[in-house]
Amino acid sequence: MYLAKIHITHKASILDPQGEAIKNALHRLDYQDVSNITAGKYFETTLTSDSKEQAEATTRSICESLLANQNMETFLFTVEKVED
Amino acid sequence: MYLAKIHITHKASILDPQGEAIKNALHRLDYQDVSNITAGKYFETTLTSDSKEQAEATTRSICESLLANQNMETFLFTVEKVED
């Protein structure tokens, strides 16, 4: 069994309205030392792939085909072997 | 300047409808080696705190007060010093 940890964040050039809204809310709550915040998605997926290479290939493919909006987002992931 | 990386995920006992929906969609797309997937949130925030302890205290507080729904979610974070 393999465990993939996937981080999906906005591309640097893309406006992050959710992050802006959260920052403004935090400033209204008087958290003045928060200077910037970016909001993204985090997924953990377990895979029954036969090899680490196959688990990595599947993870890359599910990011590209479903989890990440390739126009606006970038993704990073790690894959590690875990006990069944 | 400090950089906090925040992971917010569902408590184990809580149903994760988004994760279930994504898993079903992935199976329809023929990704049969995906056995489970959990969906969460990921934030990166820069802080102008005076110390690492203060940055950690602020990060814990913004998670508890705004970013995480304490009834359904848990949060983990790391704080590291970064160049201004």
Side-chain angles (χ1 to χ4, degrees), chain B residues 4-19:
Chain B
K5 296 181 177 179
I6 303 165
H7 290 84
I8 297 180
T9 51
H10 279 84
K11 287 183 178 175
S13 57
I14 298 287
L15 185 67
D16 175 9
Q18 187 182 5

Side-chain angles (χ1 to χ4, degrees), chain B residues 46-82:
Chain B
T46 47
L47 301 123
T48 57
S49 311
D50 296 330
S51 68
K52 185 173 182 183
E53 289 68 28
Q54 191 196 334
E56 286 171 339
T58 299
T59 303
R60 180 175 306 284
S61 184
I62 66 177
C63 288
E64 289 168 348
S65 67
L66 188 71
L67 299 182
N69 174 335
Q70 300 268 50
N71 298 317
M72 301 172 49
E73 296 170 328
T74 59
F75 60 85
L76 291 172
F77 64 85
T78 59
V79 171
E80 61 197 59
K81 188 158 180 54
V82 291

Side-chain angles (χ1 to χ4, degrees), chain A residues 7 22 26 31 33-49 54 58 61-62 65-66, chain B residues 7 22 26 31 33-49 54 58 61-62 65-66:
Chain A
H7 291 84
I22 292 170
L26 289 173
Y31 292 107
D33 49 344
V34 171
S35 69
N36 193 38
I37 185 162
T38 58
K41 297 179 276 193
Y42 175 66
F43 298 96
E44 285 188 8
T45 180
T46 48
L47 301 124
T48 56
S49 311
Q54 192 197 335
T58 299
S61 183
I62 67 177
S65 66
L66 188 70
Chain B
H7 290 84
I22 292 170
L26 289 173
Y31 291 106
D33 48 346
V34 170
S35 68
N36 193 38
I37 185 162
T38 59
K41 295 178 276 192
Y42 176 65
F43 298 96
E44 286 188 6
T45 181
T46 47
L47 301 123
T48 57
S49 311
Q54 191 196 334
T58 299
S61 184
I62 66 177
S65 67
L66 188 71

